[in-house]
Amino acid sequence: MIKTSDLISSLAKDLPPVRRLRPPLVRASCWLLLAAVVLILVGAAQGLRPDLAERVNDPAFVARMVASLLTGTLAAVSAFFVSLPDRSRLWLLLPLPALGVWLSNIGYQCLTQWISVGPDGFSLGETVRCFATLVLTSLPLSLVMLLMLRHAAPLRPRTVALMGSLSVAAITATALSLFHTLDASVMILVWNFGTAIILVALGGIFSKKIFRWVAPRTIVASE
């Protein structure tokens, strides 16, 4: 019978060295830098909303923008931290204060301006541009985050996917507020809150299948 030490030596003999992951804060910073580049490129292609200079004087608009941006930033940091097994799940609480401010601001806008749609109603052209911004912003950010988390995230697939999806949704909502006139409460609800729910739900439902697809040799743990 082969000795245990000899068995271990034979198994480890030809194994390639394992490259250590960069610290989660560094990887989160790289992803956020990519998000900034994506926002700049989308802004250059579509242009800022024409009334942005006027809207920045509105405290509610500024609060919604800052809260959504903070939610996206902190959720990204949380996703990279909780993807590691030695990090506490308390990192999941990091984006909650900003998320609460963001959602409460949207809810307040919908409550006080529910019938404020605008003199011309909804514009089909603007709706198509909004959808294009949603896709151009969320798709590359989702794919890059998926690739960056593919080796560590399978240990906690659902929680990591939820935080990653929340980050992408919040960054996308920031882009929509910057580039499109979505002050009508119905549109705020559909594009900001609705986008967040859809992205986060898809991330939670398909998390295991997605991580198994991008990292087929990695065992996806159950939570």
Side-chain angles (χ1 to χ4, degrees):
M1 178 180 289
I2 187 171
K3 295 181 179 180
T4 303
S5 57
D6 294 337
L7 176 61
I8 295 175
S9 299
S10 62
L11 291 175
K13 183 178 180 180
D14 298 323
L15 288 178
V18 177
R19 189 175 66 177
R20 186 183 180 91
L21 289 174
R22 295 181 182 274
L25 194 57
V26 173
R27 291 185 290 140
S29 299
C30 293
W31 185 86
L32 290 171
L33 180 61
L34 172 66
V37 172
V38 169
L39 290 181
I40 291 173
L41 292 177
V42 173
Q46 298 194 359
L48 297 174
R49 56 186 295 172
D51 62 342
L52 183 60
E54 176 185 350
R55 299 298 294 136
V56 294
N57 294 319
D58 181 4
F61 175 82
V62 174
R64 186 170 70 246
M65 284 280 299
V66 173
S68 64
L69 187 59
L70 275 178
T71 299
T73 300
L74 297 178
V77 173
S78 174
F80 282 97
F81 270 96
V82 298
S83 68
L84 302 177
D86 60 336
R87 303 305 170 103
S88 172
R89 288 179 181 266
L90 291 177
W91 282 102
L92 295 172
L93 302 178
L94 185 64
L96 291 188
L99 176 62
V101 174
W102 178 33
L103 296 184
S104 63
N105 186 277
I106 294 176
Y108 176 77
Q109 291 289 97
C110 292
L111 181 65
T112 58
Q113 302 176 8
W114 181 252
I115 60 173
S116 176
V117 177
D120 300 325
F122 296 128
S123 169
L124 179 60
E126 181 67 12
T127 302
V128 172
R129 289 182 66 247
C130 288
F131 184 76
T133 299
L134 189 154
V135 173
L136 292 174
T137 305
S138 62
L139 185 59
L141 294 183
S142 299
L143 291 177
V144 172
M145 179 171 282
L146 185 63
L147 292 175
M148 293 178 71
L149 292 172
R150 67 187 184 279
H151 295 302
L155 298 172
R156 294 172 177 172
R158 186 167 289 108
T159 52
V160 172
L162 288 174
M163 283 295 104
S165 300
L166 176 60
S167 178
V168 172
I171 296 294
T172 302
T174 303
L176 291 171
S177 296
L178 278 173
F179 307 138
H180 303 286
T181 53
L182 299 177
D183 293 328
S185 59
V186 176
M187 294 295 280
I188 291 173
L189 185 64
V190 171
W191 288 114
N192 287 323
F193 195 41
T195 298
I197 290 178
I198 292 173
L199 291 178
V200 172
L202 289 176
I205 294 172
F206 298 105
S207 56
K208 293 183 181 181
K209 293 182 179 180
I210 292 173
F211 285 125
R212 190 178 290 113
W213 172 63
V214 297
R217 297 182 180 180
T218 304
I219 298 176
V220 180
S222 59
E223 294 180 283

